[in-house]
Amino acid sequence: MITRLLQFLDASPVNFLAVKHIADTLESAGYRRVDPQLPIGEVKAGDKLFVTKNDSSIYAFHIGRKPLADSGFHMICAHCDSPTFRIKPNAEILCEKGIVKLNTEVYGGPIMSTWFDRPLTIAGRVIVKGKDAMSPRSLLLHIKRPLLQISNLAIHFNRSVNDGVALSKQKDMLPILGIITNELEVKNLLTNTICGELNIEKEDILDFDLYLADATPACTFGVHNEFLSSGRLDDLSMCEAGLEALINTPESDTTKVLAIFDNEETGSQTKQGAASPFLASMLKRIALAQSGSDESFYQAVERAFMVSADNAHAWHPNYSEKYDPTNHPVLGGGPVIKFNAAQKYASDAVSAAVFAQICQDAGVPCQRFVNHSDVAGGSTLGNILASSIPLRGVDMGNAILAMHSCRETGSVIDHIFCVKAFSQFYS
Ligand code: ZN
């Protein structure tokens, strides 16, 4: 199970590749890809379907033995985007003696200093000419070797570097890509790299969505290999736990749904984000195909339960003062239920009770997280989704250290606990 998690993390440097990996896994598990441009056709008990939006969000449905109106659905949702740097158009900047750096902008909220001095690569999608202007083709790109680096300034030029340094996104965070001997090459350095990798012609490229990613593989560490170290644990670890549980639990009375959204890190307000009506319309179409009426969708929503799975903050042994005095989850302590009085999290006493009981039934410990009252904390998917589909649900996630670092730290046993809890929920 942990080997599969590490493989998934390495195969998913960005959202598009995570969705591809999830789609491939679902297809191997017998799920049928639905084209949302076409009628979804007959839907019957036991059917396994999935659909993608923008190639960067994915929704899987395992239809239950009972009609949606009678048993609702059990949904796990998570997100596949992570903080990173997006490569801007016309990105190549020629510097002294042929050194070329790339112009980038920040995506989400990375801890920027953690991106310094480590081998990075490029991943995303390249858009090439299709049969007409409205139908360009999309090619996935993942350059599987160290290709760039954002280098620190030497301490000799900044003696106070260890006292904390303000970083400029535009000046400090631009990676170096290469050295050229012919200055005319600079305009095409990135394009030529892409063409070589994808085996296409320069004239075919119309545009791209490309991002930086850590080129170092995910791994375990610790005296007992009890820790996980990887980029993008938030929230790919929860995506993987949901996927494991979905494909390894048999058909049940209730319809199982796995929803992996994009753009959580920038507020979810896109057609492929949690604020989009896309998932609600897919559920409505399934309900309609099953029963011939919209009414069963509304009944199903009232019977449904959502687990919004997004990583939580683990107690950090060096920064105890940042945490709530009585609710600070630890690595290895099991899934974490998150509460917030201002309703940044969907959890309430009822939904938390439901999830805690699921954990208990699965033989898994669970913990509770609340922010230190003087610390603002973050937000997530659950309440955004619940404001468009009024679902009863809980916000939870496994605890990690250094959230939004280029390299986050998680716990091996927590991942196993989480898959067990999700499998119980889906059973
Ligand atoms: Zn997250």
Side-chain angles (χ1 to χ4, degrees), residues 79 234-235 264-265 310:
H79 66 92
D234 171 18
D235 192 27
E264 191 278 337
E265 301 294 355
D310 197 358

Side-chain angles (χ1 to χ4, degrees), residues 15-16 19 36-37 51-59 80 86 107 125 127 138 209 211 259-264 266-282 381 384-385 388-389:
N15 49 2
F16 302 109
V19 165
Q37 296 183 359
V51 62
T52 62
K53 184 76 174 168
N54 189 49
D55 297 327
S56 66
S57 68
I58 184 164
Y59 312 87
C80 60
R86 180 188 163 89
Y107 177 85
R125 66 178 176 184
I127 310 304
S138 178
D209 290 317
Y211 298 86
I260 307 295
F261 296 102
D262 192 9
N263 301 133
E264 191 278 337
T266 54
S268 299
Q269 306 283 332
T270 59
K271 62 189 180 304
Q272 61 275 4
S276 165
F278 183 74
L279 174 61
S281 62
M282 282 308 301
L381 300 162
I384 294 172
L385 187 60
S388 60
I389 314 176

Side-chain angles (χ1 to χ4, degrees), residues 73-79 235 238-239 241-242 245 257-261 279 304-310 335-338 346-347 351-352 354-356 358-359 380-383 385-386 391-398 418 421-426:
F73 49 88
H74 282 182
M75 180 193 298
I76 294 172
C77 51
H79 66 92
D235 192 27
M238 294 294 95
C239 297
V257 181
L258 178 68
I260 307 295
F261 296 102
L279 174 61
F305 194 88
M306 165 193 66
V307 173
S308 163
D310 197 358
V336 176
I337 301 172
K338 304 187 230 175
S347 316
S351 61
V354 169
F355 189 74
I358 289 167
C359 288
T380 181
L381 300 162
N383 58 342
L385 187 60
L391 292 166
R392 185 168 60 134
V394 67
D395 262 304
M396 56 72 64
N398 275 349
C418 194
F422 285 177
S423 302
Q424 181 73 30
F425 173 57
Y426 272 151

